[in-house]
Amino acid sequence: MIDPDELLMIPGPTTLSSRVRSAMARPQQSHVAPEFYEMFKESLELSRYLFGDRSGYQFIITGSGTIGMEASAVSLLEPGDNVLSIETGYFGHRFSTLAEIHGAKVDAIVTPLGERVNQEIVEKKLKQGKFKVLLFTHVDTSTSVMNDVSALTRIAKDNGVISVCDSVCGVGGARLVFDELGTDIVLTGSQKAIAAPPGATLLALSTHALDVMEKRKTPIASYYMNLLRWKPVMDDPKIYLTTPAVQVMLGLHEALLEIKEEGIENRWTRHERIGQAFRAGIEALGLKVLPKENSTASTVTTFYVPQGTNAGEIQETLRSQFGIHIARGFGDWKDTMLRVGHFGNTSATDIIALLGSLELALAKSSKIAPGKAVEKAMPLLER
Ligand SMILES: Cc1ncc(COP(=O)(O)O)c(C=O)c1O
């Protein structure tokens, strides 16, 4: 069991505040009690604030981020629809797979490792005129690569294509204003930059996205993931569809309140500052950050470990000696890369603690002399 004094800095879930933990520790309550639906209604309003959404529709559904992805895919797509899917890592590929499972013909653009998608290639493809939907990931947690949501949405709009953004690793940490962007669907999960427990997916839908779902020729081939079935519940949370994960919803509500209290602009700025300081610290050690300079994210960072060292061993030293939990590289990169989630409640102090501990852990197995990372990061963390 993780000790409350230990730092959970994997790319989600992340450390919960004591307020969120206390909210979840309340006695079990009824999901049809007035207190629950009042709380849920308020969460939907807070989620509007989080997404910067005044014009669209908010959904909060029990289930992980993948439920949000699949609900978007199955509710929008009809068999034979053409989809352009951008794969900047594992989660982009997951979106392609989901679309295919639901009968779409998927054309995938797989970006070179560590690079966001080239917008000209997307534009050229969409100009062909055959695509109904563009799927893309905001920040792909497997690579830490961030795409330009604004540019991709604009290209989709210019070509009459519905845009769907998986921002599981973005919303709440990386700058995103749904109304300004005009993306048709943005979805996220509760366990990353929102700093709530895993178990809820949050979506913002444009009126256009809902309209497309309502005008489908074929029925939506899912009960649970049919967003049209959830719409009345979001309009009136007194309506029963399925039993929500009450405790998760209590934690999420508290986390959303904390976001409102911090202020979303302040939160984005904090994430930018700590992300930049963390990357600068890593680079000061002579280590390479995987994403190219224009593709880095404020929420997560993937970086290479020094040659001759093993990522798993460094990860284990951090855990056993310093009480800090980070993740290894994804899949094939598990021995050569490390991944850090610096989002949600991550503070400047946490970044210094991690960089200092990392330097000491690296000094055991490489020629790296401790001190440089913290020295480089500290001034960047000052307000
Ligand atoms: C970018 C991205 N998309 C989707 C998912 C899937 O979310 P979940 O694991 O909550 O189903 C994740 C999970 O890490 C993710 O990072």
Side-chain angles (χ1 to χ4, degrees):
M1 193 167 60
I2 190 163
D3 189 290
D5 292 333
E6 292 187 342
L7 272 180
L8 185 60
M9 294 186 73
I10 62 170
T14 186
T15 309
L16 301 181
S17 70
S18 55
R19 270 175 63 178
V20 168
R21 283 186 278 137
S22 303
M24 292 173 69
R26 282 182 215 146
Q28 184 63 56
Q29 58 173 259
S30 158
H31 64 296
V32 289
E35 300 78 41
F36 184 79
Y37 59 71
E38 285 307 327
M39 179 279 292
F40 192 81
K41 257 168 58 183
E42 192 181 34
S43 291
L44 286 165
E45 269 316 299
L46 291 164
S47 186
R48 247 183 215 296
Y49 170 76
L50 169 73
F51 279 84
D53 167 23
R54 289 277 133 215
S55 62
Y57 299 97
Q58 286 289 320
F59 291 72
I60 301 177
I61 302 172
T62 295
S64 77
T66 306
I67 290 279
M69 295 168 79
E70 193 156 4
S72 306
V74 71
S75 302
L76 273 178
L77 295 170
E78 300 198 56
D81 279 345
N82 284 300
V83 167
L84 183 64
S85 180
I86 292 165
E87 299 186 6
T88 32
Y90 173 83
F91 291 103
H93 183 63
R94 177 176 293 188
F95 228 167
S96 303
T97 308
L98 290 176
E100 264 165 8
I101 286 172
H102 294 292
K105 290 188 208 141
V106 177
D107 192 341
I109 301 177
V110 181
T111 64
L113 184 61
E115 289 182 28
R116 70 181 187 185
V117 74
N118 179 328
Q119 291 152 25
E120 283 167 24
I121 297 177
V122 179
E123 196 154 21
K124 216 164 147 187
K125 285 265 187 196
L126 291 188
K127 275 202 191 325
Q128 291 174 9
K130 68 172 186 179
F131 294 104
K132 171 172 166 181
V133 172
L134 174 70
L135 301 176
F136 61 96
T137 320
H138 186 183
V139 178
D140 200 304
T141 322
S142 65
T143 53
S144 310
V145 166
M146 181 159 81
N147 279 306
D148 184 338
V149 183
S150 167
L152 293 176
T153 300
R154 183 184 42 73
I155 296 168
K157 264 203 172 343
D158 289 350
N159 290 282
V161 172
I162 301 161
S163 50
V164 183
C165 172
D166 161 6
S167 188
V168 168
C169 195
V171 167
R175 226 165 257 280
L176 181 144
V177 182
F178 182 78
D179 278 351
E180 284 172 14
L181 289 168
T183 318
D184 289 299
I185 300 184
V186 177
L187 66 101
T188 192
S190 48
Q191 75 273 26
K192 297 190 195 269
I194 296 175
T201 182
L202 299 84
L203 302 96
L205 259 68
S206 70
T207 46
H208 179 56
L210 205 71
D211 201 41
V212 171
M213 291 173 195
E214 276 163 354
K215 292 189 176 137
R216 293 171 58 107
K217 293 193 191 75
T218 55
I220 296 173
S222 172
Y223 187 93
Y224 192 84
M225 287 176 289
N226 178 341
L227 289 172
L228 293 182
R229 220 184 266 282
W230 283 103
K231 172 76 175 43
V233 183
M234 299 302 131
D235 292 341
D236 179 5
K238 283 183 202 151
I239 296 171
Y240 166 76
L241 180 59
T242 70
T243 310
V246 173
Q247 249 51 27
V248 171
M249 295 302 169
L250 290 170
L252 174 64
H253 176 252
E254 200 63 35
L256 291 171
L257 281 173
E258 289 187 308
I259 291 174
K260 182 92 190 268
E261 287 164 23
E262 179 176 9
I264 194 72
E265 286 279 352
N266 295 336
R267 195 172 176 93
W268 292 331
T269 308
R270 171 167 61 83
H271 279 77
E272 278 157 10
R273 189 183 307 123
I274 58 179
Q276 192 196 13
F278 183 69
R279 289 191 302 277
I282 291 299
E283 283 168 350
L285 297 176
L287 303 182
K288 192 166 169 278
V289 166
L290 174 64
K292 297 259 175 316
E293 210 171 325
N294 69 352
S295 311
T296 57
S298 56
T299 48
V300 283
T301 297
T302 300
F303 59 96
Y304 289 89
V305 295
Q307 268 200 339
T309 62
N310 179 279
E313 283 168 19
I314 297 163
Q315 179 202 34
E316 179 49 25
T317 306
L318 282 173
R319 188 197 65 78
S320 57
Q321 294 191 16
F322 302 98
I324 302 180
H325 300 247
I326 66 170
R328 297 170 73 165
F330 209 87
D332 289 348
W333 312 307
K334 69 178 182 0
D335 292 327
T336 50
M337 296 187 201
L338 287 167
R339 292 179 304 140
V340 169
H342 33 74
F343 48 33
N345 296 312
T346 303
S347 64
T349 317
D350 298 338
I351 295 292
I352 292 297
L354 173 56
L355 285 173
S357 306
L358 188 61
E359 290 182 309
L360 291 172
L362 287 170
K364 286 182 195 295
S365 52
S366 71
K367 291 206 184 86
I368 282 175
K372 285 197 184 122
V374 170
E375 188 186 7
K376 184 79 186 179
M378 270 203 303
L380 298 171
L381 290 165
E382 277 170 0
R383 287 201 140 266

